[in-house]
Amino acid sequence: MKITRVEAIPYAIPYAKPLRFASGEVTVAEHVLVRVHTNEGVVGVADAPPRPFTYGETQAGVVAVIEQLFAPQVVGASLLEREVIINRLDRTVGNPVAKSAVDMAVWDALGRTLGLRVTDLLGGYTDRMRVSHMLGFDEPAAMVAEAERMRAVHGITTFKVKVGRRPFQLDTAVVRALREGLGDEVELYVDGNRGWSPAESARALHEMADLGLLFAEELCSADDVLGRRWLVGQCNLPFIADESAVTPADVTREILGGAATAVSIKTARTGFTYSQRVHHLAEGLGIEVVMGNQIDGQLGSVCTVAFGAAYRLTSQRAGELSNFLDMSDDLLTEPLEIRDGHLTVRPGPGLGVEIHPDKLARYRTDR
Ligand code: MUC
Ligand code: MG
């Protein structure tokens, strides 16, 4: 079970439908496929989707930090020594996406070696999650039409609406149009990606008070320390910390400091090992958890559902598992399918996926 080699392969797949939100936009999935090889010929895989505008990592940076820093630290370790591996990676404070992909590829390799699914190694609570779809910036009618299509085609009934940065009256009009167009049975919540001030957030929440929202996420920056605490204190919905609370220590600070009352777990930035710690912490703090999406492709979504389905707390709410639908293609041999609003965990050992060699050859950008 010894790790002999770690590969970091950059690839680029255009989005058929780009996603726009307050802190950026994504038109091409410029990700890095990570492969961890062992002395027994097992290969674990995971995906690194860098988010330059959020965490400062870039595709070239992820490749470089894995090749130059992280691969040498994990080669020679056993797949069973995940605490040793994570402690070595953790000497580096930043680079959450690069570290997470290495961590998840190690878990995949371990599952494949043992003939067990990663989701069962983690917790084995259920085999599926309800899916929440993310609606990026557009005109109200177009966002309603997209939600209606997602409900008709995939059975999705939970929607996260991107808000912030543009005049908040446009965003509140979108949410109102969604509620009126889709009816009371759909779940709606909003994510501001830090795009409003605390005062704008309070006004927008006031305007949407009759729309039955489920959550509010990262409406303003957690760096507006007192303003955000003031906002969260008067918000009668769970207020989700996303990019403001990546590590368990961030989550502790933000929740105990009153800057949030719920947390988003994204395996793309906390892998499986740190996502476990955040999950256990959230359970101890008694807060809600949503499995978030870092604009993942299919492999990233497989990781999210493997983790989310592993525990009761992470599988209660719909997980954000559908961004891959907007990509023009993907790397897996067997594409994911959302049916009746649910995504199921893959049956095979590890993460249960295979990378299509022709597709990888077509989309990789390093040769
Ligand atoms: C989200 O929940 O914020 C947008 C930026 C990012 O890092 O993730 C997405 C979705
Ligand atoms: Mg968010």
Side-chain angles (χ1 to χ4, degrees):
M1 289 202 213
K2 286 243 181 282
I3 298 171
T4 51
R5 187 170 157 226
V6 179
E7 283 179 283
I9 304 168
Y11 67 92
I13 301 179
Y15 268 82
K17 183 183 174 300
L19 183 75
R20 278 179 265 280
F21 43 95
S23 55
E25 73 179 298
V26 178
T27 55
V28 181
E30 291 175 321
H31 297 188
V32 179
L33 179 72
V34 174
R35 292 204 282 214
V36 166
H37 300 253
T38 76
N39 61 340
E40 292 165 309
V42 171
V43 185
V45 294
D47 198 40
R51 291 289 155 250
F53 40 79
T54 310
Y55 309 108
E57 291 173 284
T58 62
Q59 187 184 44
V62 167
V63 172
V65 80
I66 290 177
E67 287 180 348
Q68 294 166 24
L69 204 58
F70 297 151
Q73 287 174 341
V74 304
V75 165
S78 160
L79 297 175
L80 293 173
E81 295 174 317
R82 290 183 311 290
E83 280 293 308
V84 174
I85 293 169
I86 208 74
N87 274 282
R88 287 182 189 160
L89 300 183
D90 245 9
R91 291 176 197 150
T92 304
V93 174
N95 299 81
V97 173
K99 285 191 278 199
S100 296
V102 173
D103 174 66
M104 292 190 288
V106 167
W107 277 88
D108 182 38
L110 179 64
R112 287 170 195 256
T113 303
L114 300 176
L116 296 170
R117 297 186 306 172
V118 166
T119 198
D120 293 322
L121 292 173
L122 289 166
Y125 182 72
T126 180
D127 68 347
R128 67 196 55 222
M129 287 187 75
R130 276 191 303 130
V131 174
S132 164
H133 181 69
M134 207 182 281
L135 297 165
F137 285 174
D138 210 329
E139 294 305 313
M143 292 172 72
V144 173
E146 183 182 344
E148 280 171 343
R149 183 169 55 84
M150 287 292 155
R151 182 165 65 174
V153 177
H154 302 287
I156 296 173
T157 55
T158 301
F159 297 96
K160 165 154 124 172
V161 189
K162 288 298 199 180
V163 299
R165 200 182 63 194
R166 52 191 199 166
F168 74 82
Q169 292 83 354
L170 180 55
D171 290 324
T172 57
V174 167
V175 181
R176 193 164 295 282
L178 285 163
R179 178 59 79 209
E180 285 167 3
L182 293 155
D184 284 342
E185 58 281 2
V186 299
E187 294 181 326
L188 298 174
Y189 57 112
V190 289
D191 181 3
N193 287 110
R194 299 160 281 141
W196 284 330
S197 67
E200 283 171 321
S201 307
R203 282 188 65 190
L205 285 176
H206 181 70
E207 275 194 21
M208 296 186 289
D210 60 329
L211 298 178
L213 292 182
L214 195 61
F215 304 117
E217 176 172 324
E218 213 80 281
L219 298 183
C220 59
S221 172
D223 287 351
D224 293 337
V225 179
L226 294 181
R228 169 107 157 220
R229 222 182 273 174
W230 166 83
L231 174 70
V232 172
Q234 60 182 282
C235 178
N236 61 3
L237 307 166
F239 193 101
I240 300 172
D242 177 13
E243 59 268 37
S244 64
V246 174
T247 66
D250 295 334
V251 174
T252 309
R253 270 191 294 269
E254 296 307 311
I255 299 293
L256 296 186
T261 49
V263 70
S264 172
I265 295 182
K266 292 181 175 171
T267 51
R269 67 176 181 213
T270 38
F272 293 132
T273 304
Y274 267 96
S275 294
Q276 276 187 309
R277 286 157 156 79
V278 175
H279 161 267
H280 299 341
L281 177 63
E283 204 169 53
L285 290 166
I287 59 173
E288 291 219 50
V289 170
V290 172
M291 290 306 299
N293 193 316
Q294 200 157 291
I295 321 178
D296 295 293
Q298 298 197 11
L299 179 51
S301 305
V302 164
C303 291
T304 303
V305 75
F307 187 88
Y311 305 99
R312 187 197 57 79
L313 180 59
T314 47
S315 56
Q316 294 306 290
R317 296 297 187 177
E320 296 163 7
L321 293 160
S322 64
N323 288 64
F324 72 85
L325 294 171
D326 293 334
M327 286 171 66
S328 60
D329 201 359
D330 216 300
L331 296 182
L332 303 188
T333 52
E334 274 180 69
L336 299 188
E337 239 187 283
I338 297 170
R339 282 208 203 106
D340 296 330
H342 287 79
L343 189 64
T344 49
V345 176
R346 284 299 176 102
L351 294 168
V353 298
E354 297 302 332
I355 301 299
H356 199 302
D358 299 343
K359 290 198 172 186
L360 182 58
R362 174 166 174 205
Y363 293 116
R364 66 189 296 171
T365 53
D366 58 345
R367 45 173 86 142

Coordinates of all heavy atoms in Angstrom, one line a residue, residues 19 21 23-24 26 49 51 53-55 134 160 162 191-194 217-218 242-243 264 266 269 292-295 320 323, ligand 1:
L19 N -21.1 29.9 -15.7 CA -21.8 30.3 -14.5 C -21.2 31.6 -14.0 O -20.0 31.8 -13.9 CB -21.5 29.2 -13.4 CG -22.2 29.4 -12.1 CD1 -23.7 29.1 -12.1 CD2 -21.6 28.6 -11.0
F21 N -21.5 34.7 -11.0 CA -21.9 35.0 -9.6 C -21.1 36.2 -9.1 O -20.2 36.7 -9.9 CB -21.7 33.7 -8.8 CG -20.3 33.0 -9.0 CD1 -19.2 33.3 -8.2 CD2 -20.2 32.2 -10.1 CE1 -18.0 32.7 -8.5 CE2 -19.0 31.6 -10.4 CZ -17.9 31.8 -9.5
S23 N -18.6 36.9 -7.2 CA -17.2 36.9 -7.0 C -16.4 36.4 -8.3 O -15.2 36.4 -8.3 CB -16.7 36.1 -5.8 OG -17.2 34.8 -5.9
G24 N -17.1 36.1 -9.4 CA -16.4 35.7 -10.6 C -17.3 35.0 -11.6 O -18.6 35.1 -11.5
V26 N -17.2 31.4 -14.5 CA -16.5 30.3 -15.0 C -17.0 29.9 -16.4 O -18.1 29.6 -16.5 CB -16.6 29.0 -14.0 CG1 -15.8 27.8 -14.6 CG2 -16.1 29.4 -12.7
P49 N -10.4 21.6 -8.7 CA -10.9 22.7 -9.4 C -10.5 24.0 -8.8 O -11.1 24.5 -7.9 CB -12.4 22.5 -9.3 CG -12.6 21.8 -7.9 CD -11.3 21.2 -7.6
R51 N -10.0 27.8 -7.8 CA -10.9 29.0 -7.9 C -10.0 30.2 -7.6 O -9.9 30.7 -6.4 CB -12.0 28.8 -6.8 CG -13.0 27.8 -7.2 CD -13.8 28.2 -8.4 NE -14.4 27.0 -9.1 CZ -13.9 26.6 -10.3 NH1 -13.0 27.3 -10.9 NH2 -14.4 25.5 -10.8
F53 N -10.3 33.4 -8.0 CA -10.9 34.5 -7.4 C -11.3 34.3 -5.9 O -11.6 35.2 -5.3 CB -12.1 35.0 -8.2 CG -12.9 33.8 -8.7 CD1 -13.8 33.1 -7.8 CD2 -12.7 33.3 -10.0 CE1 -14.5 32.0 -8.3 CE2 -13.4 32.2 -10.4 CZ -14.3 31.6 -9.6
T54 N -11.3 33.1 -5.5 CA -11.7 32.8 -4.1 C -10.5 32.5 -3.2 O -10.2 33.1 -2.2 CB -12.7 31.6 -4.0 OG1 -13.7 31.9 -5.0 CG2 -13.3 31.5 -2.7
Y55 N -9.7 31.5 -3.6 CA -8.6 31.0 -2.8 C -7.2 31.4 -3.3 O -6.2 31.0 -2.7 CB -8.7 29.5 -2.6 CG -10.1 29.1 -2.1 CD1 -10.9 28.4 -2.9 CD2 -10.5 29.4 -0.8 CE1 -12.2 28.1 -2.5 CE2 -11.8 29.1 -0.4 CZ -12.6 28.4 -1.3 OH -13.9 28.1 -0.9
M134 N -27.7 25.1 -8.7 CA -27.2 26.5 -8.5 C -27.6 27.3 -9.7 O -27.2 26.9 -10.9 CB -25.7 26.4 -8.4 CG -25.0 27.5 -7.6 SD -23.2 27.3 -7.7 CE -23.0 26.0 -6.5
K160 N -30.4 26.9 -5.4 CA -29.6 28.0 -4.8 C -29.4 29.1 -5.8 O -28.9 28.9 -6.9 CB -28.2 27.5 -4.4 CG -27.2 28.5 -4.0 CD -26.1 28.0 -3.1 CE -24.7 28.1 -3.6 NZ -23.7 27.8 -2.6
K162 N -27.9 32.6 -7.0 CA -26.7 33.5 -6.8 C -27.2 34.9 -6.8 O -28.0 35.4 -7.7 CB -25.8 33.3 -8.0 CG -25.0 32.0 -7.9 CD -24.2 31.9 -6.6 CE -23.1 30.9 -6.7 NZ -22.3 30.8 -5.5
D191 N -27.2 32.8 -2.2 CA -25.7 32.9 -1.9 C -25.2 34.2 -2.6 O -25.2 34.3 -3.8 CB -25.1 31.7 -2.6 CG -23.6 31.6 -2.3 OD1 -23.1 32.5 -1.5 OD2 -22.9 30.7 -2.8
G192 N -24.6 35.0 -1.7 CA -24.1 36.3 -2.2 C -22.7 36.4 -2.5 O -22.2 37.4 -3.0
N193 N -21.9 35.3 -2.2 CA -20.4 35.4 -2.5 C -19.8 36.7 -2.1 O -19.1 37.3 -2.8 CB -20.1 35.0 -3.9 CG -20.3 33.5 -4.2 OD1 -21.3 33.2 -4.9 ND2 -19.5 32.7 -3.7
R194 N -20.2 37.2 -0.9 CA -19.7 38.4 -0.3 C -20.0 39.7 -1.1 O -19.3 40.7 -0.9 CB -18.1 38.3 -0.1 CG -17.7 37.1 0.7 CD -16.3 36.8 0.5 NE -16.1 36.0 -0.8 CZ -15.1 36.1 -1.6 NH1 -14.2 37.0 -1.4 NH2 -15.1 35.3 -2.7
E217 N -26.6 32.5 2.4 CA -25.2 32.1 2.4 C -24.3 33.3 2.0 O -24.5 34.0 1.0 CB -25.0 31.0 1.4 CG -23.5 30.5 1.2 CD -23.4 29.2 0.4 OE1 -24.3 28.4 0.5 OE2 -22.5 29.1 -0.4
E218 N -23.3 33.5 2.9 CA -22.1 34.4 2.6 C -22.6 35.7 1.8 O -22.1 36.1 0.8 CB -21.1 33.7 1.7 CG -19.7 34.1 2.0 CD -19.1 33.4 3.2 OE1 -19.3 33.9 4.3 OE2 -18.3 32.5 3.1
D242 N -19.5 30.0 3.9 CA -18.9 29.1 2.8 C -17.4 29.5 2.7 O -16.6 29.0 3.5 CB -19.6 29.4 1.5 CG -19.1 28.7 0.3 OD1 -18.2 27.8 0.5 OD2 -19.4 29.0 -0.9
E243 N -17.0 30.4 1.8 CA -15.6 30.6 1.6 C -14.9 31.3 2.8 O -13.7 31.4 2.9 CB -15.3 31.4 0.3 CG -16.0 32.8 0.2 CD -17.3 32.7 -0.5 OE1 -18.1 31.7 -0.3 OE2 -17.7 33.6 -1.3
S264 N -21.0 25.3 5.0 CA -21.0 24.6 3.7 C -19.7 23.7 3.7 O -18.6 24.3 4.0 CB -20.9 25.6 2.5 OG -20.7 24.9 1.3
K266 N -17.3 21.6 1.4 CA -16.9 21.3 0.0 C -15.7 20.4 0.0 O -14.6 20.8 0.4 CB -16.6 22.6 -0.8 CG -17.8 23.5 -1.0 CD -17.5 24.8 -1.7 CE -18.7 25.6 -2.0 NZ -18.4 27.0 -2.5
R269 N -12.2 21.5 -1.3 CA -11.3 22.3 -0.6 C -11.0 21.8 0.8 O -10.1 22.3 1.5 CB -11.8 23.8 -0.4 CG -13.0 23.8 0.4 CD -13.5 25.3 0.7 NE -14.7 25.2 1.5 CZ -15.7 26.0 1.5 NH1 -15.7 26.9 0.6 NH2 -16.7 25.8 2.3
G292 N -21.6 21.7 -0.4 CA -21.5 22.7 -1.4 C -20.8 22.2 -2.7 O -20.3 21.1 -2.7
N293 N -20.8 23.1 -3.7 CA -20.2 22.8 -5.0 C -19.2 23.8 -5.3 O -19.5 25.0 -5.3 CB -21.3 22.7 -6.0 CG -20.8 22.0 -7.3 OD1 -19.7 22.3 -7.8 ND2 -21.7 21.2 -7.9
Q294 N -18.0 23.4 -5.6 CA -17.0 24.4 -6.0 C -16.9 24.5 -7.5 O -15.8 24.7 -8.1 CB -15.6 24.0 -5.4 CG -14.7 25.2 -5.4 CD -13.6 25.0 -4.3 OE1 -13.9 25.0 -3.1 NE2 -12.4 24.8 -4.8
I295 N -18.0 24.4 -8.1 CA -18.2 24.4 -9.6 C -17.4 23.1 -10.1 O -16.4 23.2 -10.9 CB -17.8 25.7 -10.3 CG1 -18.3 26.9 -9.4 CG2 -18.3 25.8 -11.7 CD1 -18.0 28.2 -9.9
E320 N -25.3 20.3 -3.3 CA -25.1 21.0 -4.6 C -24.3 20.1 -5.5 O -23.1 20.1 -5.4 CB -24.4 22.4 -4.3 CG -25.3 23.2 -3.5 CD -24.6 24.4 -2.8 OE1 -23.4 24.6 -3.1 OE2 -25.3 25.1 -2.0
N323 N -23.6 21.1 -10.9 CA -22.9 22.1 -11.8 C -22.4 21.4 -13.0 O -22.2 22.0 -14.1 CB -21.8 22.8 -11.1 CG -22.4 23.8 -10.1 OD1 -23.1 23.5 -9.2 ND2 -22.2 25.1 -10.4
Ligands
MUC1 C1 -20.5 28.8 -4.0 O1 -21.2 28.2 -3.2 O2 -20.1 29.9 -3.7 C2 -18.7 29.9 -6.4 C3 -17.4 30.2 -6.1 C4 -16.9 29.1 -5.5 O3 -15.8 28.9 -5.0 O4 -17.9 28.1 -5.3 C5 -19.0 28.6 -6.1 C6 -20.3 28.3 -5.4

